[in-house]
Amino acid sequence: MSNFNLHILGCGSAKPTLRHNPTCQVVEHNGNLYMVDCGEGAQTMMARMHLRMSRLQHIFISHLHGDHCFGLPGLVSTMALHGKGGSITIHIFKDGAELFGNMFRYFVRDIPMQINFDIIEYGNHVIYEDSVLKISTIPLKHRVPAVGFLFEEKPKLRHINGEMAKFHQVPLYMMNSIREGADFVKPDGTVVANSILTTAPTPSVRYAYCSDTMPASKIAPVVEGVDWMYHEATYANDNIRAARERFHSTAEQAATLARDANVGNLIIGHYSSRYDDETVLLSEARSVYPRTILADEGMHIDLLKGFDAQNLR
Amino acid sequence: MSNFNLHILGCGSAKPTLRHNPTCQVVEHNGNLYMVDCGEGAQTMMARMHLRMSRLQHIFISHLHGDHCFGLPGLVSTMALHGKGGSITIHIFKDGAELFGNMFRYFVRDIPMQINFDIIEYGNHVIYEDSVLKISTIPLKHRVPAVGFLFEEKPKLRHINGEMAKFHQVPLYMMNSIREGADFVKPDGTVVANSILTTAPTPSVRYAYCSDTMPASKIAPVVEGVDWMYHEATYANDNIRAARERFHSTAEQAATLARDANVGNLIIGHYSSRYDDETVLLSEARSVYPRTILADEGMHIDLLKGFDAQNLR
C-alpha cells in the first residue's frame, strides 16, 4: 500500500483545553504507522481516528515535557492488553527511557510485545531507516533538549514505459533493476539506455515536524525544501515576549522559517490555550507565507498531494 | 456549602473504549473535592464536568493498575500549570508513591503547590478525617493489593426548635453547644432538656467505593448499611469464569453484596469492554437488588437523596 499521510491526534499545548488535545500525530507510510509525540489521550484518539495499534511499531518523543509524552503508559498498556505481539520501539531522550522504562516494568508485565528504547541524541542524526523511508532528528531550541523529526521517502523506482519495454523485449525478471536505473543489455550485446525504457519516478516526499522550539538558525538547513512542515505556533505577535521567554515560536516566526527554507506547505499547531479561535495565528502566518493551514484534531493530510488538492482550508 | 455529591468521570475497565473512560470519580463534600482513582483523561473530564481543580486536595488510588492511575501525571502537571498553591495529597500504595514521585520530580518542577504522598496500608484504616468527614479504606480482593474507600459524614448538629428556644430565652452564644446535644441551664438553675429544644439532626450519609475486587467476606462488615455503594460489575453471568480468574465481580455478585450488607442504593460500573450495552449487567443486578443503577460518564448523584428523587434510572 503506497501512501504517505499525516494524522493529527492533538495540536494543543501544555495547558489542556476542551478544544485541543496535547501533542500527538501519526505519520502513515505505506501502511505502517509512526507516532510523533504522545500526549495524554493518544490511545483514545487512535481509536477514534481508526488508526490500528497493530500497525504501530515506532514512537518518537521530541522532548520530555508532559504534554508530549504522558500518553505513553496508557497507549503501551493498551497495546499489550490487546495482545499485540512483535515489538514497539520508543525513540526518546535518555531520562525518558529510564522514567517510562520503570513505569512499563511495573505496569505492563508478562506480555508478548517487546518494548525497546532507542536513545535520542541531540542534533541531526538518522534514527530510523528502511528500504523506502528514512527518519532523522532536527535540532530544535527549547528549554529542555528537543528535536524535531524529518520523514524522507527514499528515491522511488522509475516508471517503465510499457511499449518500449515490449518493443525491446525486456524480460520480466530484469524489470526491477531497470526500474532502479540500469540500462538493458540485449542478448546480442546491444545496450538500450534506461532513459528510453523508463520515465522519471514519482517524486519522493519529505515531511518535517518541528515542535517545541523557538526560532534557531540551525533548523532551516535541515528542513530546506521539504514538501510539508508542521511547526509550532504557540503564540500570535501579541505574545511575542512570552514566546521568547518560554522558548516557543509565534505563527509569524513559523511562517518566516517556511518561507526562508523554501518549504512547500506549512501546518501550524501547538496553540496556546489563550486563543479561543486560532484565526489570528493563521492570518499572521499567511501574511508571511500563504501556503499555511491550521492543524486540528481528527485532520488527515495526504502528504503526496498539495493542500489545494484535498479540501484543506 | 453543605452538599455530598458523587461525580462519575470514568466507569470503564482496563481496555479503553470510545464509550467509557478508565476509572475516575470525584466525591464532593461541603464544596471540597476528593478524587477516587485517576484513569487517563481525568483532567479533561474534570474540565468537562466543571469540577474546579482548586477545590481538589486529596486523591485516593485504590490499586496500582494503569486504568486507575495513569491520569495522575497529567492532572498534577495541569494543576501546577494553573498555578494552584497549597497542597495535593495522593493516598496510594507504596510502589505508586515511588513511581509517580519520580515522574513528578522530573516533570512537575518549580511549582507553588506541594505534592504529598500518604502511603496506604492494606486493611480497614482511617486515612482522612476532619470535623465533618471521615474516609477509611475497605480491604478488597484483587490480583494486586487493593482497597476501596468509605466516605462517612460525621454526626451533624441537631436542629433548634426556634419557638422553644425563644420561649426559654436561650442566648445566641449557647446555640452551638445545644445543637451538639447539651441541655440548657437557665440562670436560675432550672434545666431544660435538650430534647425539648432540638429535633434530631439530618442523618449522616455514608458512601462506599469498591473497585476492583472479587467477592470477599471481609467487605460486607465494612460497608454494612451504607447509604450508597459503587461496586465494580465488570462482567455479566455469561463471563463468571473470567470474573473469577481476573479477580473481578459480576453484576449479580455486586448486587448480592448490596443486599446482604443492607446497602441503600447500588451503583455499578467498571464495565468490561465486551459489553456494548450494559443493560444485561443492570438486569442481572436488579434481579437480586432492585435499587441498582448503572454508572455513566458525566453522571452527578446527590448522595443526600435517594435515587428515586433525582431522575436516575
Side-chain angles (χ1 to χ4, degrees):
Chain A
M1 178 172 14
S2 175
N3 61 7
F4 196 14
N5 297 315
L6 174 64
H7 307 277
I8 307 288
L9 285 68
C11 55
S13 60
K15 269 191 201 172
T17 65
L18 293 179
R19 303 183 59 240
H20 293 294
N21 298 329
T23 300
C24 181
Q25 43 184 257
V26 167
V27 175
E28 179 178 11
H29 188 254
N30 290 6
N32 296 317
L33 303 184
Y34 304 86
M35 183 174 281
V36 177
D37 283 336
C38 185
E40 187 174 354
Q43 61 165 325
T44 306
M45 282 304 289
M46 280 198 81
R48 196 159 281 159
M49 293 177 73
H50 307 290
L51 298 166
R52 287 172 58 184
M53 289 182 181
S54 57
R55 291 197 171 156
L56 177 63
Q57 291 185 323
H58 291 271
I59 302 175
F60 302 86
I61 303 294
S62 63
H63 66 293
L64 296 176
H65 279 160
D67 57 320
H68 292 251
C69 58
F70 280 170
L72 277 175
L75 174 67
V76 173
S77 294
T78 298
M79 292 172 80
L81 269 177
H82 281 283
K84 177 174 161 29
S87 69
I88 180 88
T89 300
I90 300 167
H91 306 259
I92 192 167
F93 281 102
K94 185 165 171 289
D95 291 345
E98 287 176 14
L99 283 160
F100 289 104
N102 287 337
M103 294 286 279
F104 296 149
R105 271 186 290 281
Y106 194 87
F107 287 106
V108 196
R109 288 181 282 202
D110 307 323
I111 56 166
M113 178 177 73
Q114 189 179 326
I115 304 173
N116 305 317
F117 286 99
D118 174 50
I119 306 300
I120 287 180
E121 305 282 348
Y122 183 78
N124 176 215
H125 310 289
V126 176
I127 55 173
Y128 174 85
E129 192 164 13
D130 63 26
S131 61
V132 290
L133 187 70
K134 187 171 87 171
I135 305 173
S136 18
T137 53
I138 305 166
L140 303 179
K141 185 174 182 182
H142 196 44
R143 274 167 299 157
V144 298
V147 293
F149 301 103
L150 176 62
F151 287 74
E152 299 180 272
E153 285 194 308
K154 292 198 173 169
K156 298 176 182 175
L157 295 177
R158 299 180 65 82
H159 295 289
I160 297 284
N161 180 327
E163 283 192 16
M164 293 308 287
K166 195 171 176 189
F167 177 81
H168 288 287
Q169 297 181 302
V170 180
L172 207 59
Y173 75 91
M174 293 198 64
M175 287 298 183
N176 229 42
S177 67
I178 287 171
R179 291 197 65 194
E180 286 168 355
D183 294 334
F184 173 49
V185 184
K186 290 188 172 180
D188 66 3
T190 322
V191 174
V192 184
N194 187 278
S195 60
I196 293 172
L197 296 168
T198 67
T199 54
T202 305
S204 296
V205 167
R206 299 194 301 151
Y207 165 63
Y209 168 90
C210 301
S211 186
D212 297 355
T213 190
M214 66 190 299
S217 59
K218 54 195 161 185
I219 302 173
V222 184
V223 303
E224 173 69 30
V226 297
D227 302 274
W228 290 87
M229 177 170 73
Y230 175 93
H231 196 287
E232 74 134 289
T234 310
Y235 297 105
N237 282 330
D238 59 343
N239 281 288
I240 192 165
R241 178 177 296 181
R244 189 163 45 232
E245 283 171 3
R246 297 172 194 175
F247 291 72
H248 282 300
S249 297
T250 63
E252 189 180 308
Q253 289 167 340
T256 302
L257 171 63
R259 183 193 63 197
D260 294 350
N262 301 303
V263 163
N265 306 293
L266 173 64
I267 309 158
I268 55 173
H270 201 266
Y271 314 121
S272 162
S273 61
R274 75 181 59 213
Y275 301 105
D276 285 333
D277 173 353
E278 293 86 16
T279 309
V280 58
L281 301 169
L282 184 63
S283 64
E284 287 184 10
R286 282 191 173 167
S287 71
V288 172
Y289 195 71
R291 285 201 305 284
T292 302
I293 52 170
L294 292 172
D296 200 9
E297 279 75 10
M299 185 181 253
H300 304 271
I301 297 175
D302 183 342
L303 299 174
L304 300 179
K305 297 179 182 168
F307 68 78
D308 295 330
Q310 51 189 312
N311 281 331
L312 300 173
R313 283 174 302 170
Chain B
M1 177 172 16
S2 175
N3 61 9
F4 196 14
N5 298 314
L6 174 64
H7 308 276
I8 307 289
L9 285 69
C11 54
S13 60
K15 269 192 201 170
T17 66
L18 293 179
R19 303 182 60 241
H20 292 292
N21 298 328
T23 301
C24 181
Q25 43 183 257
V26 168
V27 175
E28 179 178 10
H29 189 254
N30 290 6
N32 296 315
L33 303 183
Y34 304 85
M35 183 175 279
V36 176
D37 283 335
C38 185
E40 186 173 354
Q43 59 167 326
T44 306
M45 281 305 289
M46 278 199 82
R48 196 158 281 159
M49 293 178 73
H50 307 290
L51 297 167
R52 289 172 57 187
M53 288 182 181
S54 57
R55 291 198 173 158
L56 177 63
Q57 291 185 322
H58 291 271
I59 302 175
F60 301 86
I61 303 294
S62 63
H63 66 293
L64 297 177
H65 281 158
D67 57 321
H68 291 253
C69 58
F70 281 170
L72 277 175
L75 174 67
V76 172
S77 295
T78 298
M79 290 172 81
L81 269 176
H82 280 283
K84 178 174 161 24
S87 70
I88 181 89
T89 299
I90 300 168
H91 306 259
I92 193 168
F93 280 103
K94 185 164 171 289
D95 291 344
E98 286 175 15
L99 284 160
F100 289 103
N102 287 337
M103 294 287 279
F104 296 148
R105 271 186 290 281
Y106 194 87
F107 287 107
V108 196
R109 286 181 283 204
D110 307 324
I111 56 165
M113 179 178 72
Q114 189 180 325
I115 305 173
N116 305 318
F117 286 99
D118 174 51
I119 306 300
I120 287 178
E121 306 283 349
Y122 183 77
N124 176 214
H125 310 290
V126 175
I127 56 172
Y128 174 84
E129 191 163 16
D130 64 25
S131 60
V132 290
L133 187 70
K134 188 171 87 172
I135 305 173
S136 19
T137 53
I138 304 166
L140 303 179
K141 185 173 181 181
H142 197 43
R143 274 167 299 159
V144 298
V147 293
F149 301 103
L150 175 62
F151 287 74
E152 297 180 273
E153 286 193 309
K154 291 198 175 172
K156 297 176 184 175
L157 295 177
R158 299 179 66 82
H159 296 290
I160 297 285
N161 179 326
E163 282 192 20
M164 294 309 285
K166 194 172 175 187
F167 177 80
H168 289 288
Q169 297 182 301
V170 180
L172 207 59
Y173 75 89
M174 293 196 66
M175 288 299 183
N176 229 42
S177 68
I178 287 171
R179 291 196 66 194
E180 286 169 353
D183 294 333
F184 172 48
V185 182
K186 290 187 172 181
D188 67 2
T190 320
V191 174
V192 183
N194 186 278
S195 59
I196 292 172
L197 296 169
T198 66
T199 55
T202 306
S204 296
V205 167
R206 300 195 298 153
Y207 165 63
Y209 168 91
C210 301
S211 186
D212 295 358
T213 190
M214 66 190 299
S217 59
K218 54 195 161 185
I219 302 174
V222 184
V223 303
E224 172 69 30
V226 297
D227 301 275
W228 290 87
M229 177 170 75
Y230 175 95
H231 196 286
E232 74 133 287
T234 310
Y235 298 105
N237 283 329
D238 59 344
N239 281 287
I240 193 165
R241 181 178 294 182
R244 190 165 42 233
E245 282 171 5
R246 297 172 193 174
F247 291 72
H248 281 302
S249 297
T250 63
E252 188 180 309
Q253 289 168 338
T256 302
L257 171 63
R259 183 193 64 197
D260 295 349
N262 301 302
V263 163
N265 306 293
L266 172 65
I267 309 158
I268 55 173
H270 201 268
Y271 315 120
S272 163
S273 62
R274 77 180 56 213
Y275 301 105
D276 286 332
D277 173 352
E278 293 87 14
T279 308
V280 58
L281 301 170
L282 184 63
S283 64
E284 289 185 9
R286 282 192 174 167
S287 71
V288 172
Y289 195 71
R291 285 200 306 283
T292 302
I293 53 171
L294 291 171
D296 200 9
E297 279 74 11
M299 185 181 255
H300 303 272
I301 298 175
D302 183 342
L303 299 175
L304 301 179
K305 295 180 184 168
F307 70 79
D308 295 331
Q310 52 188 313
N311 281 331
L312 300 173
R313 285 174 302 169

